[in-house]
Amino acid sequence: FLSLSLQAKMSRPVQAQRLEGIDKNIWVEFVKLAATYSTVNLGQGFPDFPPPDFLKEAFMRALSGENHMLHQYTRAFGHPPLVKILAQFFGKLLGRDLDPTTNVMVTVGAYQALFCCFQAFVDEGDEVIIIEPCFDCYEPMVKMAGGTPVFVPLRPKAPKDGKLMSSADWQLDPAELASKFSKRTKAIVLNSPNNPLGKVFSRGELELMADLCVKHDVLCISDEVYEWLVYDGKEHVRIASLQGMWDRTVIIGSAGKTFSATGWKVGWTVGPDRLLQHLRTVHQNSVYHCATVAQEAVAQGFQRELELYGKPESYFVQLPKELQQKRDWLVRSLDAVGMKPIVPEGTYFLVADISQFKSDVPDVPNSDEPYDSRFAKWMVKNKGLAAIPLSAFYCGSHKNNYDHFIRFCFAKEEATLKAANDILQKWKREKTSP
Amino acid sequence: MLFASRSFCCLGIRTYQLRTDLLSRSIKLSASATMAFRHKNTRRIEGLDSNVWVEFTKVAADPSIVNLGQGLPDISPPSYVKEELAKAAAVDRLNQYTRGFGHPSLVKALSQVYERVCGRKIDPLTDILVTVGAYGSLFSTIQALIEEGDEVIIVEPFYDCYEPMVKMAGAKPIFIPLRYKNYGNSASSADWVLEPAELANKFNSKTKAIILNTPHNPTGKVFTREELQVIADLCIKHDTLCISDEVYEWLVYKGKKHIKIATLPGMWERTITIGSAGKTYSVTGWKLGWSIGPQNLIKHLQVVHQNTLYTCPTPLQEALAQAFWIDYKRMDDPDCYFYSLSRELESKRDRMAQLLQEAGLKPVIPDGGYFMIVDVSTLNVDLSDVDEKQPYDYKFVRWMITSKKLSAIPLSAFCGPETKRQFEKYIRFCFIKKDSTLDAAEVILKNWNKQTA
């Protein structure tokens, strides 16, 4: 028979407490649905066009070249050619001298960079301010680190008469934001350009945030993965370049978004050594090294972009130009059928108001599931069009605040966007005809 | 006066001016100057910042040093592996995100290979997680299943990341050393054993897991079925999990067999078995590994994974899947890379051992893996004038790098605090090196005695 202590052990759950409340993930379900039902997938955020040729060629050169040591471990905190070029590139953008070994660290995608930040800086009891709607991983990562997420919403202001709503119309209330800062606030997570709305925070908005960070001695985790995807001549302002912010900010970037190669999972952090040293500690005790070949290729990609910076052939000029056209296409497409798009200033996402289509998916009172989620599932199953409900980007109790929006990804080939348009047009016809 | 009242207002006020004027800027500057920077590291990483590799991998950058230290091959991966990567990267879709818990074709291939090896059904979607190297699997496993209040048994010497990972999870490492039983003249890794009574004493109600590494880094020990049974019996008796790091599973030399502890009765349900593409295919720079186990354990690793890096690189996973299919189909054929690499390494092992013996050193001949530990005390190199606080092997390796242009890793890097003295006469050599590297090592070792004479 079992001893009492053994029984006690067996009655405890096998998993660690840090996993409590973070096991759910909407992507698992929605990716499966898209794979099963969708004919047009505007759901998960990745391009359906390839990375640029110069990058693919760099990858091929790296894997097949004379130097077969590129298939072995490289420097753990970042392949030397990559950290060197990142230090140069971001040094130029920030107007600072950056040291490749202390001011830059390479990670497995921006996702792992975020993880390192939370693990390095968030202790039990620390509060982290998160602006909603937001990329869904921030909340569970804060919780896994034992921290408390404190949410502050972007609130939509009605657009001027006759105009479509813009992501710029979604704003923080300064007093509300200030009220979220407390003695326990360790960090604020900023995502600009913002996923899912596409908002590009203005200099004024960032200065407000910066003032509060400095006043309360709070860190800023700045997720800037969409930094190049900015439209209508808008400027992506880096909060780390504002007064008092370099010393307290970790900037996060992504090769996946920068070079349309999400499957390479190469990301990076840029910041002061006294913050990055702790990210290095987390990194060396969790994954240690990142894959070499992709880092070599990304380094070459950045080398090219450094040389072509600001020129029309630069990928960082061409990509946003192309994506802006796709954005405008999708905006027209949605507007034409009565789905009201919120025109994004950046990113490759667009959120649309589906209120006029609600009749297709009747409300279910007292349902656990937010309406927009049920709508999105119905849409992929019945129309073959995959999108993500906006409630996926809100946390727990706030999921029902905005229940009539869905997010589309428009980093798609023309054919894909045309096919989406066909589905929407057909849908509209079915609604209006008896 | 105006300055003073402004600063007083700013401290208490909730609404805030949007414009940053000269006055508020100077207030901010003075505020940040007086506040001490409070952003230190979190408790979980306290004391985990140092690392033996930081010092010794720098050596790799110096081409004048024959590097037998860090465990990475300087031989080329098989050409078909590189070809598969080229093929994969040419497919547009394979440059974008894949399934988070593991690329479908890869988990399918892994399930086939390991079903054959383990003799049991393995579900590719629920029983497997693909991670960033075996390192990532260790991290996911420990974060998923270990927490404050738990004890984790670690066999010394151990791959150095086990201890900090256990500590980062808030748990307590409990060390037990392999002890050298001299059964003959030439030392073999088989001579290093766990004492069953000593091991049993380490288990108690707090013991959440034991970390097993077989074939073992750094000794090269391949645990026998009987030795594994002793561990299994204790795991079952105390309801303990087993984290089995089997990255060197294919590198087992003549006369020895790699046994998976998960195949012993009562062990599948409590074991996570970890493997590595880097070690299997000589592609350490691909950083792909996997955890295999029962769904009720793997699901927790998947939760960690989805909250840490979500998905691993796609083209590498596809290439690995294709490489696995190629070798799966020839698992009955001696040309299968799993066996041919092992044969290649065995002759390197034998050559390395001979060179070391001729130089007056006492190598421990490994039954598996690609490391060899060596007792350097027979050389009687006097380093007493060097910094006393450092263990002998650290001093010896640094001296050897500088004066002999040969690098290795000090064994005390792989030990807990209590046993450092026990292991400080050993250093670790890596022999998965091309012939020219071993030739260069031979020159140094042959000339060793001449120089010191």
Side-chain angles (χ1 to χ4, degrees), chain B residues 83-124:
Chain B
E83 276 152 30
E84 289 304 331
L85 183 56
K87 279 195 238 162
V91 177
D92 288 350
R93 180 67 186 83
L94 295 177
N95 287 291
Q96 308 302 337
Y97 291 133
T98 183
R99 176 177 170 268
F101 303 143
H103 187 53
S105 62
L106 177 57
V107 292
K108 185 92 211 298
L110 287 168
S111 74
Q112 298 280 72
V113 170
Y114 286 102
E115 271 180 4
R116 200 196 131 116
V117 172
C118 299
R120 66 147 47 218
K121 194 100 190 59
I122 296 173
D123 183 312

Side-chain angles (χ1 to χ4, degrees), chain B residues 367-384:
Chain B
D367 285 329
Y370 49 57
F371 299 111
M372 185 176 292
I373 66 170
V374 184
D375 179 349
V376 296
S377 64
T378 49
L379 294 174
N380 287 316
V381 176
D382 183 4
L383 297 164
S384 50

Side-chain angles (χ1 to χ4, degrees), chain A residues 259-279:
Chain A
F259 288 111
S260 311
T262 60
W264 289 20
K265 291 291 289 185
V266 174
W268 53 82
T269 54
V270 172
D273 185 36
R274 70 178 178 176
L275 294 181
L276 257 61
Q277 62 176 321
H278 303 310
L279 301 185

Side-chain angles (χ1 to χ4, degrees), chain B residues 231-246:
Chain B
I231 296 170
D233 289 344
L234 288 164
C235 285
I236 292 165
K237 177 176 174 186
H238 294 273
D239 190 29
T240 300
L241 299 171
C242 180
I243 303 171
S244 189
D245 176 352
E246 302 183 16

Side-chain angles (χ1 to χ4, degrees), chain A residues 365-432:
Chain A
N366 302 320
S367 166
D368 268 342
E369 193 176 5
Y371 178 83
D372 59 356
S373 178
R374 288 180 38 247
F375 184 94
K377 286 182 188 169
W378 180 92
M379 187 174 77
V380 70
K381 287 179 185 163
N382 293 280
K383 300 297 173 189
L385 178 62
I388 306 293
L390 193 68
S391 59
F393 305 98
Y394 281 94
C395 309
S397 50
H398 311 155
K399 278 191 192 294
N400 287 310
N401 289 2
Y402 300 97
D403 64 355
H404 50 279
F405 292 100
I406 56 179
R407 184 198 81 170
F408 294 98
C409 171
F410 55 85
K412 307 292 174 186
E413 303 269 29
E414 239 182 70
T416 314
L417 296 174
K418 280 201 160 73
N421 187 55
D422 291 342
I423 291 174
L424 291 168
Q425 287 288 331
K426 182 162 181 277
W427 190 355
K428 182 179 180 208
R429 277 196 303 274
E430 285 162 8
K431 283 177 77 60
T432 48

